[in-house]
Amino acid sequence: MLSINARTRYCAVLGHPVRHSASPAMQNAGIAALAKDWRYLAYDVNPDELRQAIDGAKAMKFIGLNLTVPHKLLAVEMVDAIDPRAKKWGAVNTVVFETKVSGKWVPLGTVEGFEAGEVRSHGYNTDADAIVQSLLEDFSWTTLRGSSVLLLGAGGAARSCALRLAEEKVGTIYLINRTKEKAVQLGAEIAKENSKVNLKYEYQAATVDMVINGTSLGLKASDALPIDLDWLKARKPKRVYDMIYRPAETALLKEAKKIGCKTANGLGMLLYQGARALELWSGDKAPIKIMREALVREVQGV
Ligand code: ATR
């Protein structure tokens, strides 16, 4: 890696908390592989100071930012421009700082030097596509079309997943959340855009192709299972995906494996959202293999 000098440029992840983030390890490996003189840092930013942090990074001509919990929803109102899909999902996880070249906005990361004039922040969401890519790849699936999915959770992560699954034309989504009203509200949003998706809010009688955990249950060893274990054992869904990647095997995945389901954790989702962010900043193809290796080393310590 090149040493830091006055020409070194920066990107960062902002979160609260942020110490657990695997993004710096993954992104710095990707950046080094692309031979960029950039560094990717991590900052713990209080939600009520998020606007100042984004504006500060813009003033210092950072290349871009990633946003993690709890900033993704807040940032929608804080960027100068927003990608239509990020607006639709209602969450921004990637900010690209851009400047005008020959009257056109281009990423700062594709422009030499710091001489940029006007700079704007442009918000994107790379999470939603990343989950679809991860589901297809991890379960060796060619299409989600027509499938039935039980989605646990209706928070930030589950929300963009549900809206994106509807776009993939899944047949049925069971929206299950501790606070049922949030699931019903999410269902109403899906119905507005994709009237053909069958939406259900109870799952006891369901048989599904896949279960996805989008709740935070499983992060701690003491957490309860996010699903009824008797149902899981009786229905034996073919595939169980947990958006959580640390621990690598949550209690849900352990139980699912025991009964013969194919399982996958959220590592692929994390990888692909990060790879797409790096592509947006640099205009280059992301070195997926190198980023994946760095991620696995960081998360699993191997
Ligand atoms: P994220 O951005 O990671 O999705 P979030 O928006 O805070 O985080 O959402 C967390 C999700 O986990 C929500 O669906 C939440 O359910 P509520 O909407 O009822 O809050 C779910 N969750 C968190 N703790 C839970 C618990 N102890 N039992 C069941 N669900 C829980």
Side-chain angles (χ1 to χ4, degrees), residues 69-70 72-73 152-159 176-180 182 214-217 223 226:
V69 176
K72 294 181 194 186
L73 309 185
L152 302 160
R159 201 193 116 80
I176 309 302
N177 193 45
R178 173 178 60 180
T179 314
K180 189 172 172 182
K182 270 169 74 181
T215 76
S216 45
L217 284 179
D223 283 345

Side-chain angles (χ1 to χ4, degrees), residues 139 141 148 207-211 231-232 235-241 256 259-264:
F139 293 136
W141 226 353
S148 68
T207 303
V208 300
D209 298 306
M210 174 167 62
V211 171
W231 178 88
L232 193 72
R235 301 287 167 166
K236 292 192 179 54
K238 268 198 208 114
R239 307 163 186 87
V240 178
Y241 189 94
I259 57 173
C261 314
K262 282 191 191 173
T263 60

Side-chain angles (χ1 to χ4, degrees), residues 7 10 49 61 82 93 114 143 149 154 161 192 195 236 254 300:
R7 291 172 301 281
Y10 298 94
E49 289 173 321
K61 301 189 176 65
I82 186 161
N93 78 313
F114 288 90
T143 179
V149 181
C161 175
K192 223 172 21 184
S195 54
K236 292 192 179 54
K254 260 190 204 119
Q300 294 168 12

